[in-house]
Amino acid sequence: GQQLNQSPQSMFIQEGEDVSMNCTSSSIFNTWLWYKQEPGEGPVLLIALYKAGELTSNGRLTAQFGITRKDSFLNISASIPSDVGIYFCAGHGGSQGNLIFGKGTKLSVKP
Amino acid sequence: DTEVTQTPKHLVMGMTNKKSLKCEQHMGHRAMYWYKQKAKKPPELMFVYSYEKLSINESVPSRFSPECPNSSLLNLHLHALQPEDSALYLCASSPPGEGIGELFFGEGSRLTVL
């Protein structure tokens, strides 16, 4: 089945630093989404992207839908301690009908 | 109301017990999902209900039995589970039409099978 390669697996950064993570696939998707999961909670949708090349922001978060439809990145600017959590990319609309999740990027922010 | 509510939050059961997980949403979403999540892993799809009909069963063992009594409720009946079934069980819903892939997750039910 389709797989998403998400990197990095984990990040340890200082408060105030910018963060970048990405997802790639060998096949195309029609939709890319980014979710954040905090301990003891379910994932929460951060950004949804529907068009190749689309660049969308949500506060300090910016995500892009790659022009080839096979990749997406998420940037977080000026990180703060409450940004900690696991960030999952997800693709939809490929050969499988379901939402495919990446393995996640665990973000730790040192105050 | 933009919440997906799951109960119970924690459940401990023996391998011979029968229990149920419950999920409720009042956002008018017509698709509801059960996911299983192991520690440090992404959610894995188990079942999808669309307009109260089971549309996807990801080859889940029969000891897990889903039920969708109406458009707002989703249950997962558990019977004769194994210790390896211990995990966080997440319910999600999504709006019809546009917003494909935009899942609203509950907080999950943490299941421990002894």
Side-chain angles (χ1 to χ4, degrees):
Chain A
Q2 289 178 298
Q3 289 188 335
L4 296 184
N5 299 309
Q6 186 172 350
S7 64
Q9 189 174 357
S10 62
M11 303 180 76
F12 297 85
I13 63 168
Q14 198 77 33
E15 182 177 1
E17 289 183 3
D18 296 343
V19 170
S20 186
M21 58 191 79
N22 69 83
C23 247
T24 60
S25 172
S26 58
S27 47
I28 63 174
F29 287 98
N30 295 327
T31 305
W32 282 94
L33 306 104
W34 287 91
Y35 288 84
K36 177 188 178 187
Q37 187 173 22
E38 297 183 24
E41 305 282 334
V44 174
L45 180 64
L46 299 174
I47 293 180
L49 302 154
Y50 295 100
K51 293 180 184 176
E54 180 181 355
L55 184 73
T56 297
S57 293
N58 178 4
R60 293 178 296 105
L61 277 59
T62 302
Q64 184 157 31
F65 190 146
I67 199 74
T68 64
R69 297 167 61 193
K70 292 183 180 181
D71 62 310
S72 177
F73 72 73
L74 174 71
N75 288 342
I76 305 173
S77 63
S79 59
I80 58 179
S82 61
D83 289 333
V84 300
I86 302 177
Y87 291 78
F88 291 103
C89 65
H92 192 279
S95 57
Q96 293 174 252
N98 312 328
L99 195 61
I100 308 296
F101 282 91
K103 293 188 176 179
T105 295
K106 184 176 180 181
L107 179 64
S108 302
V109 179
K110 194 190 308 185
Chain B
D1 186 351
T2 58
E3 282 189 347
V4 175
T5 304
Q6 289 188 243
T7 55
K9 200 165 173 63
H10 298 276
L11 178 63
V12 179
M13 60 186 291
M15 289 190 283
T16 57
N17 292 159
K18 282 186 182 180
K19 296 285 185 183
S20 297
L21 306 181
K22 297 185 183 300
C23 175
E24 190 169 0
Q25 59 88 14
H26 296 286
M27 294 179 278
H29 293 174
R30 302 311 298 269
M32 295 186 76
Y33 309 75
W34 280 114
Y35 281 84
K36 174 183 177 180
Q37 188 178 29
K38 291 282 211 179
K40 301 181 183 179
K41 299 287 186 183
E44 296 175 28
L45 183 65
M46 300 174 72
F47 302 104
V48 181
Y49 273 83
S50 179
Y51 291 86
E52 297 149 56
K53 291 195 183 335
L54 183 65
S55 61
I56 295 176
N57 175 343
E58 288 288 331
S59 303
V60 179
S62 59
R63 56 186 185 268
F64 295 91
S65 175
E67 179 195 18
C68 189
N70 60 55
S71 60
S72 299
L73 295 175
L74 185 66
N75 298 323
L76 186 63
H77 302 298
L78 314 170
H79 175 52
L81 295 193
Q82 304 296 312
E84 60 264 30
D85 296 322
S86 299
L88 182 68
Y89 288 84
L90 293 162
C91 174
S93 66
S94 65
E98 296 182 10
I100 292 173
E102 293 186 16
L103 301 183
F104 290 72
F105 283 91
E107 292 186 341
S109 293
R110 171 92 37 206
L111 174 67
T112 302
V113 182
L114 301 176

